[in-house]
Amino acid sequence: MATFLLLLLAMLTTIIAQKELIVNITILHSATAEGAVCLDGSPPAYHLDRGYGTGLRSWIIAIDGGGWCQSIPDCRSRSTSDLGSSMKMQPPQAKFSEILHNDPRTNPEFYNWNRVRVRYCDGSSFTGDVEDIDPDTKLYYRGARIFNAIMNDLIGKGMQNAENAILCGTSVGGLATILNCDKFKSLLSNDAKVKCVADAGFFINAKTISGTYDIQEIYQRVVRLHGSAKNLPLSCTSAMEPSLCLFPQNVVPYVQTPFFIINSAYDSWQIENILVPKYLDPQHVWEDCKSQISNCTFSQRIIIQG
């Protein structure tokens, strides 16, 4: 197990020169019947490269990242891009690298597994589920339905027979992995060995340098707009305000499935967006520090360490 984890962590975080593997897109048109659609109402999408040999009954599902949309204008803008519409996912192929590659020299553990890349087009880490369509913008907030539809489609394509299964993701996809880890496990047989891996998805509820909780307010807006509360882990939402259950620090204690977290101690996105948002640094005092920790002053490092 220790060797397996070291290999997995290395492959998730190390870029290795390799020949590109290009995989065609699967547009899940059937999902629209159950209302599982991207922000603009287009069908969800994923990419699948089939496993073979000893990997025939093993699956690794990787969820894309891409941030959240917390307001109607924000989501409307997103709906015109590949982060909100499968119609904008051009070209209709995706690169598979690192843990999704099919080269055993690069990816010795998973090269012949069924490898899936899930496209992210809902803006809520796959938690949203609002029945009504916004009458003015024609936007759909249905992220949780997308996750369910894609997983059920993969179940029908052989994942129901999985002996091994890994759900993983990066950034917002890493957060989606934590939030959906137990749900993923529940879709598979009791005999399947299931693990989850969140890469750079451990967003913390930290104060800004002015002492405000901006990220908590962002999450409140996301949960309210997308109707996310009912799709967050009940064990967490029954204990605290639903938007707090978007923070892994509050969800992790309730996750039952084995999972692994990869996160830099110096997380550049969280420094730039949670600790020091641009509006709090009008004189650009933090600009050099945010781009490279070695440029930080002693006092800035103390604040970051705190």
Side-chain angles (χ1 to χ4, degrees):
M1 178 60 75
T3 300
F4 163 81
L5 292 180
L6 288 172
L7 286 168
L8 181 58
L9 296 179
M11 285 184 283
L12 275 167
T13 57
T14 303
I15 298 176
I16 303 173
Q18 58 191 225
K19 183 180 179 181
E20 288 185 351
L21 171 64
I22 306 298
V23 179
N24 288 329
I25 198 168
T26 297
I27 303 292
L28 192 54
H29 294 284
S30 61
T32 59
E34 53 195 278
V37 293
C38 301
L39 284 167
D40 71 335
S42 59
Y46 65 86
H47 305 259
L48 166 63
D49 196 40
R50 288 283 191 173
Y52 61 91
T54 56
L56 191 60
R57 298 182 65 181
S58 295
W59 292 72
I60 184 164
I61 318 294
I63 303 174
D64 279 359
W68 312 276
C69 60
Q70 56 181 299
S71 67
I72 291 174
D74 189 14
C75 290
R76 180 190 292 164
S77 175
R78 177 180 287 255
S79 71
T80 63
S81 74
D82 63 342
L83 290 175
S85 171
S86 60
M87 302 291 290
K88 303 296 182 179
M89 294 175 186
Q90 299 295 333
Q93 298 92 24
K95 296 178 182 178
F96 274 31
S97 58
E98 287 94 42
I99 60 170
L100 294 181
H101 209 280
N102 64 348
D103 187 342
R105 296 169 299 176
T106 295
N107 188 17
E109 294 294 323
F110 312 113
Y111 72 95
N112 64 346
W113 284 30
N114 295 281
R115 287 155 289 108
V116 182
R117 177 180 169 185
V118 177
R119 301 298 291 268
Y120 179 56
C121 67
D122 74 285
S124 73
S125 286
F126 295 110
T127 62
D129 191 354
V130 177
E131 182 64 34
D132 296 333
I133 306 166
D134 188 305
D136 298 320
T137 63
K138 309 301 180 187
L139 293 177
Y140 298 74
Y141 304 102
R142 306 276 183 79
R145 297 191 194 186
I146 290 174
F147 182 86
N148 292 339
I150 290 178
M151 293 304 124
N152 286 331
D153 194 60
L154 295 174
I155 288 289
K157 290 182 175 177
M159 198 167 71
Q160 77 274 17
N161 298 316
E163 295 176 345
N164 304 287
I166 296 173
L167 180 68
C168 63
T170 300
S171 188
V172 168
L175 175 58
T177 297
I178 295 172
L179 297 174
N180 289 286
C181 185
D182 284 342
K183 180 189 292 186
F184 179 66
K185 174 68 171 70
S186 71
L187 297 172
L188 303 170
S189 73
N190 292 332
D191 295 329
K193 297 177 182 178
V194 181
K195 305 288 190 297
C196 298
V197 183
D199 181 10
F202 203 101
F203 300 96
I204 62 172
N205 190 12
K207 294 180 182 179
T208 67
I209 53 174
S210 68
T212 57
Y213 282 99
D214 286 20
I215 186 64
Q216 184 174 324
E217 293 179 4
I218 289 173
Y219 277 6
Q220 288 172 343
R221 291 192 289 270
V222 169
V223 168
R224 185 166 52 248
L225 180 63
H226 292 266
S228 301
K230 59 187 174 183
N231 293 305
L232 295 169
L234 180 60
S235 53
C236 180
T237 57
S238 62
M240 63 190 73
E241 198 274 319
S243 66
L244 293 174
C245 295
L246 274 180
F247 291 104
Q249 67 198 70
N250 297 325
V251 175
V252 161
Y254 301 105
V255 179
Q256 300 298 308
T257 307
F259 70 96
F260 309 96
I261 293 171
I262 308 163
N263 228 94
S264 171
Y266 181 83
D267 186 314
S268 60
W269 190 93
Q270 298 195 58
I271 299 297
E272 293 176 10
N273 295 279
I274 296 179
L275 180 65
V276 194
K278 287 183 179 180
Y279 80 94
L280 290 179
D281 187 30
Q283 304 302 318
H284 307 292
V285 174
W286 280 81
E287 190 169 333
D288 289 343
C289 175
K290 289 195 292 185
S291 65
Q292 178 61 45
I293 194 171
S294 61
N295 295 331
C296 298
T297 64
F298 177 77
S299 61
Q300 287 172 332
R301 294 189 189 199
I302 293 298
I303 292 172
I304 292 172
Q305 184 64 30

